[in-house]
Amino acid sequence: MSLARTMLCKTKQRWPSGFMCRFLSAAEVSTALRPFYFSVHPDLFGKYPEQRKINENSLQQLSAVLEAQQSRKRINISSLPFYLRQKDMPEGAFKLVNIPLNGSTVRETVVKVLCACEMSTTYVDKIPKDTRLPNTSQYNFTKTYDDYSNEFEKVAHMKRKVQEKKAINNLEEWLFTNSGLAKEKYESARATRDQVQSLIDKLCKNYGIKEVKYDRGWNISHIRGALQSLVSLAIQHPAVMGNLKDRTIALGQFTGVSLDGDVFLNIMDVRNEWLSLIKKVSQEDSALLKIPNYEKTLSSILRDIHICRRKFMPKVSAAQYCNHLRQLITSIGDFYGKGCKFPASIPESLNKYEIVVEPEAGPLMVSPTGQFITPSSCPAEELVAYIAKHLDLATQLMTEYSINKHVERALHKEVKERFGLLDLQKDDSITPGLMISCCQRLLTRSPALSEKLQGNRLYITHYYSVLSEGILCIPWNFKS
């Protein structure tokens, strides 16, 4: 066991006056976590959307935890799942680790990450702990990861150059090779799908649960395992299951009550976490009652802008969302308190626009649908300036979306019917405009593709792949 890991188990020591256990700098964190990033970076999982999505979400939350600890704040995230890509494992096989985040300092969190992944902590061990408190206000761990990602992208760019030479020539050839394989995989997973449905029916019938749903990004085997655990928990604790009567249960990436009132159970959590939530689910509901007032307050101080939620926003509990709204309301209140004003370029009413408030580590951006997306930690001055600068862009994107969504819906239906698809879905990053382009190109090639797509499930994304459940993934801009 390394020195750093041993120190975590000891009683906290007293430090001499003027000294304390210092934070790791941004450069030190970047260096310490370098091998970890090389094992979990989303770019390594291009053909595996389930693992890529989980690692992207977990990395974002890890950055938020590090920034909060650096600021002596605390984010209530008990653990994070990561898929590790290791050299000694075959293609498509990954190690899943669940990293505990119960450390109180940046150093402890970094060590826990490395230890959970069985990586060396020697570099961290050599960094002295007893030093005068440095000025850490400039450290930005999200930026640290972004800087590292830029370095990683240089390596990835060279890799893509090689892969381009092996690129698939056209969609028809690829479907000729893989459509049969996809159907075989879909049939082989039939028994698992039937088991999943049987478990869902059992839960709904025995405990009055309204609905059980799950994130389609998870492997169906993971869903079956989670449902088996929930059934076992229900049998052992039948009394508390009455709390779930007429509720919707969702298996996802956090444990808590969602903004829609659904009871979310994190597939990666132990059953005790689920049991704890089910026992106090009515208490969690109290946060739902506060949300309308918080959203109304935020809207009023942002010139009546509509507070919305986007379809694919990061999943958070109602309690967390309340905290995010309160944090942004406080920031804007301070903005007014300092005598600051909105620029003259911002109209007196923003009721034609929409804004979405997301976790601290989220982006500040305009979404493809024209919504303003802001992290709750965004300073009011920066948010107001951003809105002023991007009103025209938001208006343009809203107009395009209002037209495109109807066109996309019609084309989606036509493609599904024309090719006899069992299902047609798209990645979160595929905008209506890109989906329209893809559907139009598919329809112009219907005679050549019809036989191969018949009876398959198609997923529009950025790459070619056949998933374990028999889903055909194709890029929206596929080659002819």
Side-chain angles (χ1 to χ4, degrees), residues 421-436:
L421 295 170
L422 297 181
D423 195 16
L424 175 60
Q425 299 291 336
K426 67 173 185 175
D427 187 79
D428 298 358
S429 61
I430 304 298
T431 63
L434 299 183
M435 188 64 173
I436 288 171

Side-chain angles (χ1 to χ4, degrees), residues 33 38 86 89 107 121 125 137 159 177 214 220 246 256 261 270 296-297 321 393 444 469:
L33 292 181
F38 265 114
Q86 299 177 313
M89 299 184 75
R107 179 189 292 267
T121 61
D125 298 342
S137 60
K159 183 178 179 181
T177 304
Y214 52 88
I220 194 68
D246 297 325
V270 295
K296 184 177 180 181
T297 300
Y321 184 58
L393 174 61
T444 61
E469 295 174 52

